[in-house]
């Protein structure tokens, strides 16, 4: 299929526009789509929210400029839940269509990087540039049956990424095969003077001879039977070449979702304060209104429901009188989660669980979930995102069911993915 | 969370809610916070996580040309904003 056909059938793109490479290199012949919260110079970039309609950035994000300099051709910007706020891509901004799952018709495409997952699933020799804050690469990869790869926090520069939650946002990629990931990772990772949080060390691609795989015990509890069976069958097949042990992550699995949502929405509620009808995107007629009335009118008219909900939650969690009980407590939990992962990855090379606790839901089923129920679906993906470790989702079934793997190094993670891919 | 709190939070966030939205968000956020009350059980080290972000030197360097930076202005040479003086 061509990008135009993919868009016509699945509504995967917010902008279809071919952008040439700036140089020739290791990615000659590779096409790349860019999630709509990552800046591409002079191409409308809205994070799939109506409030940014008309905004055309003055520069490329670092990841984009590196890809273009390595020979990649960009084919367009992909759909997402507005600002990354969603697990199913059912929350694109007002006026944007809901994308459709190409491999499992009727199922959600997954979010927030749903358009990226669709592009990766349908376009030949294609790698989709996406972004994860709490599961936005892993979940859509699972729903659309592709590989979703999220490097460690800081491995890829966030310069030119529209922030959701700065301490959690990570640019990553999606593709159909593991071998497609490595050349792109080699290009997009590495220090960047424009982002002080980038890691100074290059990613480590070496892997141990025999992988030690830790199955997260709590990650197999309260999981749909089909999911449990598919994941266990896949792990069983690894038994010949890997050492398999059980690992417990009680803090992550009990408190992860609450801590993640309180931290991420707190950060989002401040990050989105800049969208108020002055500097970026939509603006109104300010001549007859006071500041508060003007800002409120623009934000109320153009933010969608989930964006408003998360801004309210984050604002509440930071308010005097509630801050210690929510935001500060969540940060203490996050510290404990990072420690739990560090200790677990001293015992094993890779930690595994299902990506989603259920088979990717039908659109109708997902629409009926309350916000609290939807947030709870992220319980297996928020851990590695909060720990800032490299992790990936890879299909293990003919249904939309995947394994989520987390490692200390990219080398161990990629070696694990190769083993699953070979099954 | 009661409706007064929803209104207060929305006012702080510069979002004007319809009556229907107030009711909906009051219900949603109450349910979400109820689910998150699991944090009350957390008894580990209460010191919050901290992430040290190294700052770059504040030195002149190559930046975007002014015409690129100001291309999002709504009128030539200006960002339009509400009146500050009546």
């Amino acid at each position: 299929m061509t990008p135009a056909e993919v868009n016509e059938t699945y509504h995967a793109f917010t902008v279809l526009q071919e952008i040439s490479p700036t140089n020739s290199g290791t990615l000659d012949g590779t096409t790349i789509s860019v999630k709509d919260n990552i800046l591409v110079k002079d191409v409308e970039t809205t994070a799939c929210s109506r409030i940014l309609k008309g905004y055309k950035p003055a520069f490329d994000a670092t990841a984009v400029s590196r890809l273009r300099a390595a020979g990649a051709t960009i084919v367009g910007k992909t759909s997402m839940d507005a600002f990354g706020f969603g697990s199913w891509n059912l929350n694109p901004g007002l006026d944007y269509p809901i994308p459709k799952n190409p491999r499992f018709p009727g199922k959600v495409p997954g979010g927030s990087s749903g358009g990226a997952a669709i592009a990766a699933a349908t376009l030949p020799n294609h790698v989709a540039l996406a972004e994860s804050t709490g599961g936005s690469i892993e979940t859509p990869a699972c729903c659309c049956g592709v590989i979703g790869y999220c490097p460690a926090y800081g491995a890829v520069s966030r310069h030119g990424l529209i922030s959701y939650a700065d301490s959690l946002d990570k640019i990553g990629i999606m593709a159909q095969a593991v071998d497609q990931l490595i050349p792109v990772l080699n290009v997009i990772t590495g220090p960047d003077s424009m982002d002080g949080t980038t890691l100074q060390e290059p990613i480590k691609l070496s892997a141990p001879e025999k992988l030690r795989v830790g199955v997260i015990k709590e990650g197999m509890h309260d999981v749909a039977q089909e999911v449990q069976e598919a994941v266990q069958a896949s792990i069983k097949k690894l038994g010949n070449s890997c050492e398999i042990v059980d690992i417990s992550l009680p803090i992550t699995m009990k408190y992860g979702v609450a801590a993640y949502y309180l931290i991420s929405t707190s950060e989002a509620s401040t990050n989105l304060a800049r969208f108020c009808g002055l500097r970026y995107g939509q603006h109104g007629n300010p001549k007859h209104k006071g500041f508060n009335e003007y800002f409120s009118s623009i934000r109320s008219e153009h933010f969608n429901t989930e964006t408003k909900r998360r801004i309210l939650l984050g604002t509440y969690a930071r308010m005097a009188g509630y801050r210690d009980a929510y935001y500060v407590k969540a940060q203490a939990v996050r510290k404990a989660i990072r420690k739990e992962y560090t200790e677990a990855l001293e015992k094993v090379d890779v930690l595994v669980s299902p990506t989603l606790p259920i088979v990717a839901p039908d659109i109708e089923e997902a629409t009926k979930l309350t916000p609290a129920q939807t947030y709870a679906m992220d319980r297996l993906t928020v851990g590695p995102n909060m720990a800032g470790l490299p992790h990936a989702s890879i299909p293990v079934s003919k249904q939309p069911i995947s394994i989520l793997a987390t490692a200390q190094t990219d080398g161990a993670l990629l070696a694990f993915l190769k083993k699953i891919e070979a099954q | 969370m009661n409706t007064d709190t929803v209104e207060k939070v929305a006012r702080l966030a510069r979002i004007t809610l319809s009556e229907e939205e107030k009711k909906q968000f009051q219900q949603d956020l109450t349910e979400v916070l109820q689910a998150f009350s699991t944090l009350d059980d957390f008894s580990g080290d209460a010191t919050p996580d901290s992430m040290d972000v190294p700052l770059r030197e504040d030195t002149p360097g190559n930046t975007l040309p002014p015409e690129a930076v100001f291309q999002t202005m709504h009128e030539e040479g200006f960002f339009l904003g509400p009146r500050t003086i009546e």
Side-chain angles (χ1 to χ4, degrees), chain A residues 394-410:
Chain A
I394 185 165
V396 289
S397 166
K398 287 181 180 161
Q399 292 190 75
I401 299 172
S402 293
I403 279 188
L404 179 69
T406 305
Q408 195 73 53
T409 68
D410 293 86

Side-chain angles (χ1 to χ4, degrees), chain A residues 17-51:
Chain A
Q17 186 176 332
E18 189 167 306
I19 298 151
S20 306
T22 52
N23 215 329
S24 180
T26 54
L27 299 181
D28 287 352
T30 301
T31 65
I32 300 275
S33 55
V34 180
K35 186 175 177 179
D36 198 32
N37 58 351
I38 300 171
L39 307 191
V40 178
K41 187 174 185 285
D42 295 331
V43 177
E44 187 179 69
T45 298
T46 68
C48 216
S49 173
R50 192 169 71 187
I51 203 164

Side-chain angles (χ1 to χ4, degrees), chain A residues 292-351:
Chain A
N292 286 338
E293 193 189 339
Y294 177 69
F295 295 159
S296 299
S297 67
I298 294 284
R299 289 161 67 80
S300 308
E301 186 181 345
H302 298 296
F303 281 149
N304 70 2
T305 300
E306 186 61 23
T307 304
K308 291 177 186 174
R309 189 183 287 120
R310 294 201 190 196
I311 289 175
L312 295 181
L313 179 60
T315 305
Y316 180 74
R318 292 183 296 110
M319 269 168 64
Y322 302 104
R323 190 173 181 275
D324 285 350
Y326 293 114
Y327 180 72
V328 174
K329 190 75 171 275
Q331 289 288 13
V333 170
R334 182 178 184 173
K335 186 178 172 186
I337 287 173
R338 288 155 75 96
K339 185 166 177 273
E340 199 164 67
Y341 270 90
T342 303
E343 287 172 359
L345 286 168
E346 283 166 3
K347 296 176 196 148
V348 294
D349 301 303
V350 184
L351 288 163

Side-chain angles (χ1 to χ4, degrees), chain A residues 56 196 255 261-262 278-279 283 287 289 291-292 296 299-300 308-309 312 316 329 331 335 338 370, chain B residues 9 13-14 16 21 28 31 33 36 38-39 45 47 49 54 68-69 71-72 74 80 82-84:
Chain A
K56 291 187 176 177
Y255 304 109
Y261 272 92
L262 290 166
L278 282 182
R279 181 75 170 81
H283 59 285
K287 289 182 181 164
K289 291 175 179 171
F291 267 98
N292 286 338
S296 299
R299 289 161 67 80
S300 308
K308 291 177 186 174
R309 189 183 287 120
L312 295 181
Y316 180 74
K329 190 75 171 275
Q331 289 288 13
K335 186 178 172 186
R338 288 155 75 96
T370 64
Chain B
V9 174
R14 304 290 183 266
T16 309
E21 283 178 317
D28 293 346
E31 189 193 349
L33 292 171
F36 291 179
T38 178
L39 287 180
D45 178 1
T47 320
D49 199 7
V69 174
Q71 70 181 5
T72 58
H74 305 314
L80 278 183
R83 282 173 187 274
T84 50

Side-chain angles (χ1 to χ4, degrees), chain A residues 159-237:
Chain A
H159 178 60
L161 171 69
I162 297 175
S163 298
Y164 165 177
D166 303 75
S167 75
L168 292 157
D169 294 341
K170 299 162 294 294
I171 289 177
I173 48 179
M174 295 191 203
Q176 293 184 23
V178 179
D179 282 343
Q180 290 177 280
L181 303 172
I182 298 168
V184 176
L185 286 173
N186 280 331
V187 167
I188 61 175
T189 56
D192 177 15
S193 61
M194 302 302 283
D195 175 2
T197 61
T198 46
L199 301 173
Q200 298 304 303
E201 296 292 316
I203 55 171
K204 291 190 180 83
L205 291 176
S206 59
E209 195 109 324
K210 184 167 185 174
L211 286 176
R212 296 167 300 165
V213 176
V215 181
I216 303 171
K217 275 198 289 190
E218 299 84 354
M220 301 302 281
H221 296 164
D222 299 323
V223 165
Q225 195 180 340
E226 304 99 298
V227 174
Q228 198 171 72
E229 285 171 4
V231 170
Q232 276 173 342
S234 182
I235 292 168
K236 197 175 172 190
K237 286 184 205 162

Side-chain angles (χ1 to χ4, degrees), chain A residues 267-283:
Chain A
E267 293 187 30
S269 65
T270 57
N271 277 325
L272 269 62
R274 74 193 68 168
F275 304 124
C276 60
L278 282 182
R279 181 75 170 81
Y280 305 102
Q282 294 279 359
H283 59 285

